[in-house]
Amino acid sequence: MEKQRDNNHPHICVIEKIVDETPTVRTLYFKDSVLANVLPGQFAMIWVPGINELPMSVMVSDVTDQAALTVRKRGESSTALYNLSVGQQIGVRGPYGNSFKIKNGKILLIGGGTGLVPLMRLIKFANPSNHITVLMGSQTKNEVFFEETAKKLLEKNSHDIVPVTEDGSYGEKGYVTDVLEKLLEKNTYDGIYTCGPEMMMYKTVQMANKKGIFVQASLERMMKCGIGICGSCCVNDDLACRDGTVFDGAHLSQKSEFGHSHRTKSGILEEI
Amino acid sequence: MDSILETTLGSLTLKRPTVLASGILGISLDVFNRLHDAGAGAVVTKSLSKEPWEGYPNPTIFSVKGGGWINAVGLSNPGAENFAKMIEPNNDVPIVVSLVGSIEDDFEYMIKKFENCKVAAYELNLSCPHVAKVGLEVGDDIELVSKIIKKVKSITNSPIVAKVGLGKSDYLATVDAAVSAGVDAITAINTVRAMAIDVETQMPILSNKIGGLSGTPIKPIALRCVYEIASKFDIPIMGCGGISTWEDAVEFILAGSSAVQFGSVMGDNWVETFGEINSGIQKYMERKGYATIGEMIGKAKRQ
Ligand SMILES: Cc1cc2nc3c(=O)[nH]c(=O)nc-3n(C[C@H](O)[C@H](O)[C@H](O)COP(=O)(O)OP(=O)(O)OC[C@H]3O[C@@H](n4cnc5c(N)ncnc54)[C@H](O)[C@@H]3O)c2cc1C
Ligand SMILES: Cc1cc2nc3c(=O)[nH]c(=O)nc-3n(C[C@H](O)[C@H](O)[C@H](O)COP(=O)(O)O)c2cc1C
Ligand code: FES
């Protein structure tokens, strides 16, 4: 019999499948009953042996007990994760963090880049009676991803999927927050959920707060432990890994660091 | 309301005996305020160096199967100057500033940066087990310990605490050197040098390979150290290592600690730990008929 797993110790998983989403984004699938069943908004610490360990949201898979990571290659470590092949090993710890409180009724998801990952899991947990609008932001056409995934996940829901590109090469032109602003002129929602670049989340939270709409954002900060020991992920007096990563808009509006500053690897507060 | 929990370490008086250990949640004043509100009698900062340090790549912290945590964060910190600026507005929280350096001049340089800050005490980290030329490597060098403490005592009136750990030389010799040089209190202990290997990848898990063990597995070791120091020296002690309940805290006080520090417990329990341990100690004191923490300190070594 397998001994009970210690979720704070790296557990080794083997990459089973890799899907290219865009020229810089890839989804890696692996068997893991723990991460396959996390709540929307939760993340894991992913060890690329010999390289680094990174915080990653957990992507959904339609295979039972399979989990996934959708990674964009950026610096050395995320590129190393991106470059893994089928059969190679990663270590996973977690799940960490809290999760989105999903409202009933009309909900809107607004995400950019890999910030869409926790929003895809949110869809999976949503009630079939929810009407769901998804705004997906990216720079240009060939960086749009998860449109098909979202469609499939939303089969049972009435929905609108709106891709938005900054250069207008696909879908609506501009920033996702411009599209949100227009939508909010005519519509209201029971809940808005956002994850992605901080300025996008900041604008979204401001707009929703002004209209009195329930809004939640999932924040990214420098993470080392993931469990509330090291302090590196603090946002004012909150620890993103433990008190978040999901925070209510009303709470965020009182945090001077949200939308303005984050900490570097050495813990220096720097402007975003 | 809880003056029964007041404790003194030389010239340092704490309203409550529970202290946040260095390196735990220790880089933001807002977080210090939150922990103070949660019941911390004082907070110790992350160990600060002259310049900002990035620390080691991850993995830097994870749990050990069977209990405890291993870390090698590599003393990542924003540097003394940035940190001093951040805590300048502080008036309410007793902040113990932890410093790490290689020679006496490093400590002098850093203490000068805190001229405009309210500093409850300085804790000299003579015991970090996983960074070269600082921490334990300094603590193992008795002459250097003596030089550093004499220098630091000559430039500040704030109480000086020496944090010791288990290194290559006898830690009691380090304590002896610190006490002779005029140190005001001792914190014991730091993490204990340790490692973990993943059997599937056949690799050490920490990026630095070797780090320090903390949490419940080191509690009996830390307790033994506090007891030995209290038996041999007349010096206030902050016991640290593996404390996770009020009962652990009382054990350390009975062994000779005037206050207790903890950190790893926050990985399981959260900031409520401070309130829970405080009220547990208070109930114990009421049950046993103690009016002050002072009456309890070192009770276990009377035989
Ligand atoms: C909760 C959470 C969930 C995330 N989910 C995803 C995801 O699903 N897919 C994805 O591609 N990316 C995700 N990220 C971002 C990802 O962790 C970073 O982009 C990645 O760490 C970059 O590392 P790098 O070494 O390649 O880049 P570097 O060149 O080292 O750094 C680039 C930037 O990445 C960020 N970063 C680096 N290390 C860390 C760290 N340990 N913790 C937090 N941020 C760091 C910093 O902002 C840094 O400036 C998530 C981050 C967080 C905090
Ligand atoms: C993540 C982490 C970082 C630490 N950083 C420091 C540090 O910067 N300076 C220091 O003196 N001790 C540091 N320590 C050691 C703790 O202060 C404490 O001595 C040790 O963890 C034992 O206490 P505990 O079992 O309650 O955690 C660190 C410990 C951990 C777990
Ligand atoms: S990542 Fe360590 S406290 Fe959040």
Side-chain angles (χ1 to χ4, degrees), chain A residues 55-83:
Chain A
M56 286 278 147
S57 299
V58 187
M59 181 56 189
V60 292
S61 156
D62 44 22
V63 177
T64 309
D65 286 347
Q66 192 180 53
L69 305 168
T70 299
V71 54
R72 178 187 297 280
K73 58 173 171 176
R74 280 174 82 176
E76 187 196 347
S77 325
S78 54
T79 304
L81 181 59
Y82 176 95
N83 283 335

PDB file of all heavy atoms in Angstrom, chain A residues 55-83:
ATOM      1  N   PRO A  55       6.156  28.381  -9.181  1.00  0.00           N
ATOM      2  CA  PRO A  55       4.718  28.299  -8.939  1.00  0.00           C
ATOM      3  C   PRO A  55       3.971  28.229 -10.260  1.00  0.00           C
ATOM      4  O   PRO A  55       4.287  28.968 -11.195  1.00  0.00           O
ATOM      5  CB  PRO A  55       4.401  29.615  -8.213  1.00  0.00           C
ATOM      6  CG  PRO A  55       5.474  30.556  -8.620  1.00  0.00           C
ATOM      7  CD  PRO A  55       6.686  29.732  -8.967  1.00  0.00           C
ATOM      8  N   MET A  56       3.014  27.325 -10.362  1.00  0.00           N
ATOM      9  CA  MET A  56       2.234  27.150 -11.595  1.00  0.00           C
ATOM     10  C   MET A  56       0.786  26.853 -11.231  1.00  0.00           C
ATOM     11  O   MET A  56       0.528  26.038 -10.335  1.00  0.00           O
ATOM     12  CB  MET A  56       2.747  25.934 -12.387  1.00  0.00           C
ATOM     13  CG  MET A  56       4.062  26.133 -13.084  1.00  0.00           C
ATOM     14  SD  MET A  56       3.805  26.995 -14.647  1.00  0.00           S
ATOM     15  CE  MET A  56       5.318  27.926 -14.698  1.00  0.00           C
ATOM     16  N   SER A  57      -0.123  27.460 -11.949  1.00  0.00           N
ATOM     17  CA  SER A  57      -1.526  27.097 -11.802  1.00  0.00           C
ATOM     18  C   SER A  57      -1.724  25.703 -12.373  1.00  0.00           C
ATOM     19  O   SER A  57      -0.961  25.283 -13.240  1.00  0.00           O
ATOM     20  CB  SER A  57      -2.403  28.067 -12.583  1.00  0.00           C
ATOM     21  OG  SER A  57      -2.229  29.357 -12.077  1.00  0.00           O
ATOM     22  N   VAL A  58      -2.748  25.013 -11.898  1.00  0.00           N
ATOM     23  CA  VAL A  58      -2.963  23.651 -12.385  1.00  0.00           C
ATOM     24  C   VAL A  58      -4.054  23.674 -13.453  1.00  0.00           C
ATOM     25  O   VAL A  58      -5.164  24.126 -13.219  1.00  0.00           O
ATOM     26  CB  VAL A  58      -3.353  22.707 -11.229  1.00  0.00           C
ATOM     27  CG1 VAL A  58      -3.399  21.271 -11.730  1.00  0.00           C
ATOM     28  CG2 VAL A  58      -2.372  22.849 -10.072  1.00  0.00           C
ATOM     29  N   MET A  59      -3.702  23.180 -14.630  1.00  0.00           N
ATOM     30  CA  MET A  59      -4.613  23.185 -15.765  1.00  0.00           C
ATOM     31  C   MET A  59      -5.504  21.939 -15.732  1.00  0.00           C
ATOM     32  O   MET A  59      -5.101  20.899 -15.211  1.00  0.00           O
ATOM     33  CB  MET A  59      -3.787  23.233 -17.068  1.00  0.00           C
ATOM     34  CG  MET A  59      -4.594  23.271 -18.348  1.00  0.00           C
ATOM     35  SD  MET A  59      -5.769  24.657 -18.376  1.00  0.00           S
ATOM     36  CE  MET A  59      -6.704  24.248 -19.844  1.00  0.00           C
ATOM     37  N   VAL A  60      -6.690  22.070 -16.305  1.00  0.00           N
ATOM     38  CA  VAL A  60      -7.607  20.932 -16.329  1.00  0.00           C
ATOM     39  C   VAL A  60      -7.234  19.959 -17.447  1.00  0.00           C
ATOM     40  O   VAL A  60      -6.588  20.323 -18.425  1.00  0.00           O
ATOM     41  CB  VAL A  60      -9.076  21.374 -16.558  1.00  0.00           C
ATOM     42  CG1 VAL A  60      -9.585  22.142 -15.367  1.00  0.00           C
ATOM     43  CG2 VAL A  60      -9.219  22.188 -17.833  1.00  0.00           C
ATOM     44  N   SER A  61      -7.697  18.716 -17.284  1.00  0.00           N
ATOM     45  CA  SER A  61      -7.556  17.714 -18.335  1.00  0.00           C
ATOM     46  C   SER A  61      -8.873  16.960 -18.356  1.00  0.00           C
ATOM     47  O   SER A  61      -9.555  16.881 -17.339  1.00  0.00           O
ATOM     48  CB  SER A  61      -6.415  16.757 -17.988  1.00  0.00           C
ATOM     49  OG  SER A  61      -6.616  15.517 -18.642  1.00  0.00           O
ATOM     50  N   ASP A  62      -9.251  16.393 -19.535  1.00  0.00           N
ATOM     51  CA  ASP A  62     -10.515  15.636 -19.510  1.00  0.00           C
ATOM     52  C   ASP A  62     -10.281  14.168 -19.165  1.00  0.00           C
ATOM     53  O   ASP A  62     -11.220  13.377 -19.145  1.00  0.00           O
ATOM     54  CB  ASP A  62     -11.332  15.832 -20.799  1.00  0.00           C
ATOM     55  CG  ASP A  62     -10.474  15.755 -22.043  1.00  0.00           C
ATOM     56  OD1 ASP A  62      -9.378  15.152 -21.927  1.00  0.00           O
ATOM     57  OD2 ASP A  62     -10.870  16.295 -23.091  1.00  0.00           O
ATOM     58  N   VAL A  63      -9.038  13.804 -18.870  1.00  0.00           N
ATOM     59  CA  VAL A  63      -8.752  12.433 -18.451  1.00  0.00           C
ATOM     60  C   VAL A  63      -8.764  12.377 -16.915  1.00  0.00           C
ATOM     61  O   VAL A  63      -8.173  13.236 -16.263  1.00  0.00           O
ATOM     62  CB  VAL A  63      -7.366  11.992 -18.978  1.00  0.00           C
ATOM     63  CG1 VAL A  63      -7.013  10.585 -18.481  1.00  0.00           C
ATOM     64  CG2 VAL A  63      -7.326  12.063 -20.497  1.00  0.00           C
ATOM     65  N   THR A  64      -9.438  11.379 -16.366  1.00  0.00           N
ATOM     66  CA  THR A  64      -9.525  11.244 -14.905  1.00  0.00           C
ATOM     67  C   THR A  64      -8.132  11.091 -14.301  1.00  0.00           C
ATOM     68  O   THR A  64      -7.295  10.357 -14.835  1.00  0.00           O
ATOM     69  CB  THR A  64     -10.371   9.996 -14.552  1.00  0.00           C
ATOM     70  OG1 THR A  64     -11.582  10.082 -15.292  1.00  0.00           O
ATOM     71  CG2 THR A  64     -10.672   9.934 -13.057  1.00  0.00           C
ATOM     72  N   ASP A  65      -7.909  11.781 -13.206  1.00  0.00           N
ATOM     73  CA  ASP A  65      -6.642  11.715 -12.468  1.00  0.00           C
ATOM     74  C   ASP A  65      -5.431  12.202 -13.267  1.00  0.00           C
ATOM     75  O   ASP A  65      -4.285  11.924 -12.917  1.00  0.00           O
ATOM     76  CB  ASP A  65      -6.377  10.304 -11.922  1.00  0.00           C
ATOM     77  CG  ASP A  65      -7.274  10.002 -10.729  1.00  0.00           C
ATOM     78  OD1 ASP A  65      -7.889  10.954 -10.193  1.00  0.00           O
ATOM     79  OD2 ASP A  65      -7.355   8.829 -10.341  1.00  0.00           O
ATOM     80  N   GLN A  66      -5.705  12.937 -14.337  1.00  0.00           N
ATOM     81  CA  GLN A  66      -4.588  13.553 -15.060  1.00  0.00           C
ATOM     82  C   GLN A  66      -4.596  15.050 -14.748  1.00  0.00           C
ATOM     83  O   GLN A  66      -5.665  15.669 -14.708  1.00  0.00           O
ATOM     84  CB  GLN A  66      -4.749  13.339 -16.567  1.00  0.00           C
ATOM     85  CG  GLN A  66      -3.486  13.693 -17.350  1.00  0.00           C
ATOM     86  CD  GLN A  66      -3.670  13.462 -18.845  1.00  0.00           C
ATOM     87  OE1 GLN A  66      -4.618  13.951 -19.448  1.00  0.00           O
ATOM     88  NE2 GLN A  66      -2.739  12.719 -19.440  1.00  0.00           N
ATOM     89  N   ALA A  67      -3.422  15.605 -14.493  1.00  0.00           N
ATOM     90  CA  ALA A  67      -3.293  17.047 -14.255  1.00  0.00           C
ATOM     91  C   ALA A  67      -2.456  17.625 -15.382  1.00  0.00           C
ATOM     92  O   ALA A  67      -1.875  16.883 -16.185  1.00  0.00           O
ATOM     93  CB  ALA A  67      -2.638  17.312 -12.917  1.00  0.00           C
ATOM     94  N   ALA A  68      -2.386  18.940 -15.448  1.00  0.00           N
ATOM     95  CA  ALA A  68      -1.610  19.557 -16.521  1.00  0.00           C
ATOM     96  C   ALA A  68      -1.079  20.905 -16.080  1.00  0.00           C
ATOM     97  O   ALA A  68      -1.563  21.505 -15.113  1.00  0.00           O
ATOM     98  CB  ALA A  68      -2.487  19.717 -17.760  1.00  0.00           C
ATOM     99  N   LEU A  69      -0.043  21.354 -16.799  1.00  0.00           N
ATOM    100  CA  LEU A  69       0.513  22.694 -16.588  1.00  0.00           C
ATOM    101  C   LEU A  69       0.566  23.361 -17.941  1.00  0.00           C
ATOM    102  O   LEU A  69       0.957  22.728 -18.926  1.00  0.00           O
ATOM    103  CB  LEU A  69       1.944  22.599 -16.049  1.00  0.00           C
ATOM    104  CG  LEU A  69       2.133  21.767 -14.790  1.00  0.00           C
ATOM    105  CD1 LEU A  69       3.627  21.516 -14.561  1.00  0.00           C
ATOM    106  CD2 LEU A  69       1.524  22.494 -13.598  1.00  0.00           C
ATOM    107  N   THR A  70       0.162  24.615 -17.987  1.00  0.00           N
ATOM    108  CA  THR A  70       0.303  25.351 -19.237  1.00  0.00           C
ATOM    109  C   THR A  70       1.349  26.413 -19.005  1.00  0.00           C
ATOM    110  O   THR A  70       1.174  27.299 -18.166  1.00  0.00           O
ATOM    111  CB  THR A  70      -1.038  25.960 -19.667  1.00  0.00           C
ATOM    112  OG1 THR A  70      -1.963  24.888 -19.860  1.00  0.00           O
ATOM    113  CG2 THR A  70      -0.883  26.730 -20.968  1.00  0.00           C
ATOM    114  N   VAL A  71       2.474  26.280 -19.689  1.00  0.00           N
ATOM    115  CA  VAL A  71       3.628  27.127 -19.369  1.00  0.00           C
ATOM    116  C   VAL A  71       4.040  27.980 -20.561  1.00  0.00           C
ATOM    117  O   VAL A  71       4.041  27.527 -21.707  1.00  0.00           O
ATOM    118  CB  VAL A  71       4.803  26.254 -18.854  1.00  0.00           C
ATOM    119  CG1 VAL A  71       5.150  25.154 -19.823  1.00  0.00           C
ATOM    120  CG2 VAL A  71       6.033  27.106 -18.565  1.00  0.00           C
ATOM    121  N   ARG A  72       4.340  29.236 -20.262  1.00  0.00           N
ATOM    122  CA  ARG A  72       4.904  30.119 -21.276  1.00  0.00           C
ATOM    123  C   ARG A  72       6.401  30.201 -21.035  1.00  0.00           C
ATOM    124  O   ARG A  72       6.841  30.370 -19.899  1.00  0.00           O
ATOM    125  CB  ARG A  72       4.297  31.526 -21.163  1.00  0.00           C
ATOM    126  CG  ARG A  72       4.892  32.509 -22.178  1.00  0.00           C
ATOM    127  CD  ARG A  72       4.420  33.915 -21.936  1.00  0.00           C
ATOM    128  NE  ARG A  72       2.981  34.060 -22.100  1.00  0.00           N
ATOM    129  CZ  ARG A  72       2.382  34.174 -23.290  1.00  0.00           C
ATOM    130  NH1 ARG A  72       3.085  34.147 -24.403  1.00  0.00           N
ATOM    131  NH2 ARG A  72       1.074  34.319 -23.348  1.00  0.00           N
ATOM    132  N   LYS A  73       7.202  30.069 -22.089  1.00  0.00           N
ATOM    133  CA  LYS A  73       8.648  30.175 -21.871  1.00  0.00           C
ATOM    134  C   LYS A  73       9.034  31.638 -21.727  1.00  0.00           C
ATOM    135  O   LYS A  73       8.672  32.476 -22.546  1.00  0.00           O
ATOM    136  CB  LYS A  73       9.460  29.457 -22.953  1.00  0.00           C
ATOM    137  CG  LYS A  73       9.238  29.885 -24.353  1.00  0.00           C
ATOM    138  CD  LYS A  73      10.265  29.179 -25.238  1.00  0.00           C
ATOM    139  CE  LYS A  73       9.929  29.428 -26.699  1.00  0.00           C
ATOM    140  NZ  LYS A  73      10.886  28.883 -27.616  1.00  0.00           N
ATOM    141  N   ARG A  74       9.677  31.917 -20.607  1.00  0.00           N
ATOM    142  CA  ARG A  74      10.107  33.279 -20.289  1.00  0.00           C
ATOM    143  C   ARG A  74      11.588  33.252 -20.001  1.00  0.00           C
ATOM    144  O   ARG A  74      12.404  33.302 -20.881  1.00  0.00           O
ATOM    145  CB  ARG A  74       9.350  33.778 -19.060  1.00  0.00           C
ATOM    146  CG  ARG A  74       7.966  34.252 -19.361  1.00  0.00           C
ATOM    147  CD  ARG A  74       7.235  34.596 -18.084  1.00  0.00           C
ATOM    148  NE  ARG A  74       7.552  35.919 -17.566  1.00  0.00           N
ATOM    149  CZ  ARG A  74       6.962  36.434 -16.502  1.00  0.00           C
ATOM    150  NH1 ARG A  74       6.058  35.753 -15.853  1.00  0.00           N
ATOM    151  NH2 ARG A  74       7.278  37.643 -16.096  1.00  0.00           N
ATOM    152  N   GLY A  75      11.921  33.120 -18.712  1.00  0.00           N
ATOM    153  CA  GLY A  75      13.331  33.051 -18.314  1.00  0.00           C
ATOM    154  C   GLY A  75      13.840  31.631 -18.382  1.00  0.00           C
ATOM    155  O   GLY A  75      13.209  30.751 -18.970  1.00  0.00           O
ATOM    156  N   GLU A  76      14.982  31.394 -17.710  1.00  0.00           N
ATOM    157  CA  GLU A  76      15.658  30.110 -17.772  1.00  0.00           C
ATOM    158  C   GLU A  76      14.781  28.959 -17.249  1.00  0.00           C
ATOM    159  O   GLU A  76      14.699  27.894 -17.866  1.00  0.00           O
ATOM    160  CB  GLU A  76      16.953  30.200 -16.940  1.00  0.00           C
ATOM    161  CG  GLU A  76      17.825  28.967 -17.068  1.00  0.00           C
ATOM    162  CD  GLU A  76      18.882  28.885 -15.970  1.00  0.00           C
ATOM    163  OE1 GLU A  76      19.104  29.896 -15.265  1.00  0.00           O
ATOM    164  OE2 GLU A  76      19.459  27.786 -15.829  1.00  0.00           O
ATOM    165  N   SER A  77      14.115  29.184 -16.135  1.00  0.00           N
ATOM    166  CA  SER A  77      13.415  28.071 -15.487  1.00  0.00           C
ATOM    167  C   SER A  77      12.139  27.686 -16.221  1.00  0.00           C
ATOM    168  O   SER A  77      11.876  26.502 -16.431  1.00  0.00           O
ATOM    169  CB  SER A  77      13.070  28.423 -14.046  1.00  0.00           C
ATOM    170  OG  SER A  77      14.064  29.215 -13.500  1.00  0.00           O
ATOM    171  N   SER A  78      11.352  28.682 -16.588  1.00  0.00           N
ATOM    172  CA  SER A  78      10.121  28.338 -17.303  1.00  0.00           C
ATOM    173  C   SER A  78      10.465  27.732 -18.665  1.00  0.00           C
ATOM    174  O   SER A  78       9.759  26.859 -19.166  1.00  0.00           O
ATOM    175  CB  SER A  78       9.212  29.556 -17.448  1.00  0.00           C
ATOM    176  OG  SER A  78       9.909  30.617 -18.042  1.00  0.00           O
ATOM    177  N   THR A  79      11.560  28.159 -19.259  1.00  0.00           N
ATOM    178  CA  THR A  79      11.982  27.582 -20.538  1.00  0.00           C
ATOM    179  C   THR A  79      12.409  26.125 -20.356  1.00  0.00           C
ATOM    180  O   THR A  79      12.103  25.264 -21.191  1.00  0.00           O
ATOM    181  CB  THR A  79      13.126  28.415 -21.162  1.00  0.00           C
ATOM    182  OG1 THR A  79      12.669  29.755 -21.285  1.00  0.00           O
ATOM    183  CG2 THR A  79      13.531  27.882 -22.524  1.00  0.00           C
ATOM    184  N   ALA A  80      13.059  25.833 -19.233  1.00  0.00           N
ATOM    185  CA  ALA A  80      13.458  24.448 -18.958  1.00  0.00           C
ATOM    186  C   ALA A  80      12.219  23.561 -18.796  1.00  0.00           C
ATOM    187  O   ALA A  80      12.185  22.432 -19.288  1.00  0.00           O
ATOM    188  CB  ALA A  80      14.324  24.386 -17.705  1.00  0.00           C
ATOM    189  N   LEU A  81      11.209  24.089 -18.132  1.00  0.00           N
ATOM    190  CA  LEU A  81       9.960  23.327 -17.970  1.00  0.00           C
ATOM    191  C   LEU A  81       9.305  23.125 -19.339  1.00  0.00           C
ATOM    192  O   LEU A  81       8.872  22.022 -19.687  1.00  0.00           O
ATOM    193  CB  LEU A  81       9.025  24.093 -17.018  1.00  0.00           C
ATOM    194  CG  LEU A  81       7.674  23.477 -16.688  1.00  0.00           C
ATOM    195  CD1 LEU A  81       7.836  22.107 -16.034  1.00  0.00           C
ATOM    196  CD2 LEU A  81       6.881  24.403 -15.746  1.00  0.00           C
ATOM    197  N   TYR A  82       9.264  24.194 -20.111  1.00  0.00           N
ATOM    198  CA  TYR A  82       8.680  24.178 -21.456  1.00  0.00           C
ATOM    199  C   TYR A  82       9.376  23.146 -22.340  1.00  0.00           C
ATOM    200  O   TYR A  82       8.747  22.477 -23.154  1.00  0.00           O
ATOM    201  CB  TYR A  82       8.813  25.585 -22.040  1.00  0.00           C
ATOM    202  CG  TYR A  82       8.350  25.783 -23.453  1.00  0.00           C
ATOM    203  CD1 TYR A  82       7.059  26.241 -23.718  1.00  0.00           C
ATOM    204  CD2 TYR A  82       9.205  25.554 -24.535  1.00  0.00           C
ATOM    205  CE1 TYR A  82       6.636  26.451 -25.017  1.00  0.00           C
ATOM    206  CE2 TYR A  82       8.787  25.748 -25.834  1.00  0.00           C
ATOM    207  CZ  TYR A  82       7.499  26.203 -26.074  1.00  0.00           C
ATOM    208  OH  TYR A  82       7.082  26.406 -27.356  1.00  0.00           O
ATOM    209  N   ASN A  83      10.683  23.015 -22.170  1.00  0.00           N
ATOM    210  CA  ASN A  83      11.467  22.138 -23.047  1.00  0.00           C
ATOM    211  C   ASN A  83      11.481  20.670 -22.631  1.00  0.00           C
ATOM    212  O   ASN A  83      12.118  19.850 -23.288  1.00  0.00           O
ATOM    213  CB  ASN A  83      12.914  22.639 -23.135  1.00  0.00           C
ATOM    214  CG  ASN A  83      13.023  23.851 -24.049  1.00  0.00           C
ATOM    215  OD1 ASN A  83      12.191  24.033 -24.947  1.00  0.00           O
ATOM    216  ND2 ASN A  83      14.022  24.687 -23.814  1.00  0.00           N
TER     217      ASN A  83
END
